Amino acid sequence: MCYPPAPMLLQLRATRQNERDPLGMARTLRVLHGSLCRRPLKLLFAAIEGKTALYLQSSPHVGERVRKQLYGEYPDVELVDIDPADLALPPGHRMVMRSLSLWPDIFPLPNFQQQANSERKFSDPLPAILEALHDDALWSNVELSIVPARHVSLHWRRWVILTLSCPTYRNQPERARRFAKAAVGPWWMRPWALLTGLAVRLRERGVAERELATSARRDGEDEDDLTMATAKVGSFLFEVTLRVSVAAPIGSEALTKAKLDEVTAALKAAAQPRLARFHIGRRSFLLGEGELASLFHPPMATMAAAHVTVSESRQPEPPDGLPAAGDDTVPLGEVLYRGRRQLVALARIDAGRHHHCIGRTGMGKSVYLQNQLRSRIHAGDGVMLLEPHGDLYEATLRSVPRRRFDDVLAFDPTAAHPVAYNPLDCPDPQQRERLAAGVMAAFESLFALDHGATPRLLNIVRYGILLVLDV
């Protein structure tokens, strides 16, 4: 028996410098429209343990296509594989779900495509949705499950729009509104819409075809509602199921209902009540790629929502020209770039030159140095480590292989019986001036001495060191 592969769950993270608008997400959805084949792609907004994030869940085949497309559209985006169990319901919690449906769905939601040529700036609904989801005590999410729309749904909506373009409905807005709601409403309302629409079409045959033609071009705010609906039906349409879920500790029903109402209100604010609005119901509805991208897209730099999981830094591509790992190289580490890990190494001759390792606390400087020391020790090279804290020193000692135990010289001044060290031991008379200069440099650094403030003291100390060296 063949079982379907386990779903792939990806967490979508963007850096705080992401300037790409939802257009990249819209292009990604266009590419995926022909490859989903009625297999759902889930777009998730989830708030867990006080952090909100965006997720995509699909089959592994579709997930890899999503990863490639988003990496191509958004350089500042990171897609992290997540265990689906991380989104499982916590023990002792009870989940309450609410389904929403857009009605009538022939009219579009406000989206960035409509406002691309407008002077008004795109009003991003994503921050409001994420802020509504966020709660330190509750577990909540919004799930958009999408599949390509069926041809019968597309043809039916095109027929509805063409019927609405008849003069009877153009001159009677209230009657047109009732017809539109019935035509794309529950199944028991559609026979009446069909009969009414056929009667109008037969009475005004040919008029609608001359007044309106279906197109897939983008439209601005200055065009009428029917033209906007025509543009939507001519785009890449998806059949969408929208569900809001909230989980709270058992006995917190009031908190659960309040959070459901808050998230529902944020979603309703993303619609145009004059044309279409979200209603509580389990019916699926249609959205174009522009509408979906306006709702679900990587957070932009201008987004003010807090508690959103972001990528702290960009993932640079591995530099070209670095040698492959081998016997004549020293590994630096692994570069994680767009879901792929690649070993980065330095040629042994380059690793012997000076280099400077810079980074904030916790960025891995000590681990990097420890890996360098371990690789050189295992390769049989000689190394020297001067470390004031002791953590790296102890970790390096533990990594020494047994075959090199006799090569180790460990000097720990904090030990109970440290190795004796005399910095003034210099049997070579020609090196005493150099040794004295080195000791003086150490004193000047430790006690902030200089020739302008303490010239006599420096001379006395220098001559005293030379005297001790001559004894």
Side-chain angles (χ1 to χ4, degrees), residues 181-246:
K181 288 184 176 181
V184 293
W187 64 269
W188 51 269
M189 299 176 66
R190 297 189 181 186
W192 173 85
L194 177 61
L195 294 176
T196 304
L198 285 175
V200 173
R201 292 284 295 276
L202 290 174
R203 187 168 61 249
E204 302 173 6
R205 181 179 303 175
V207 177
E209 286 82 353
R210 291 194 301 269
E211 293 193 0
L212 189 69
T214 301
S215 68
R217 58 189 177 87
R218 293 190 305 179
D219 298 280
E221 294 179 328
D222 56 336
E223 298 182 329
D224 62 12
D225 301 338
L226 276 182
T227 309
M228 294 167 56
T230 303
K232 173 176 178 175
V233 175
S235 65
F236 293 87
L237 286 180
F238 293 85
E239 186 177 330
V240 182
T241 303
L242 174 58
R243 185 176 65 185
V244 181
S245 304
V246 177

Side-chain angles (χ1 to χ4, degrees), residues 5-11 44 48 55-58 80-89 139:
M8 173 184 287
L9 182 64
L10 300 175
Q11 187 182 74
L44 303 170
I48 302 174
Y55 299 87
L56 300 102
Q57 187 175 28
S58 65
V80 183
D81 289 279
I82 301 295
D83 187 355
D86 294 342
L87 300 184
L89 184 66
W139 185 102

Side-chain angles (χ1 to χ4, degrees), residues 295-306:
L295 290 173
F296 186 93
H297 58 84
M300 294 184 289
T302 56
M303 199 183 81

Side-chain angles (χ1 to χ4, degrees), residues 33 62 75 100 143 177 240 244 247 263 272 329 366 371 439 465:
H33 187 273
V62 175
L100 298 178
E143 177 186 300
R177 189 175 295 109
V240 182
V244 181
V263 177
Q272 300 185 78
T329 61
S366 297
N371 292 335
V439 175
I465 293 173

Side-chain angles (χ1 to χ4, degrees), residues 283-302:
R283 289 188 300 109
S284 61
F285 55 95
L286 299 189
L287 289 180
E289 84 278 7
E291 299 168 273
L292 283 171
S294 298
L295 290 173
F296 186 93
H297 58 84
M300 294 184 289
T302 56

Side-chain angles (χ1 to χ4, degrees), residues 374-388:
R374 183 191 297 115
S375 63
R376 301 300 290 267
I377 291 172
H378 280 262
D381 297 336
V383 298
M384 179 179 179
L385 171 65
L386 299 176
E387 203 253 332

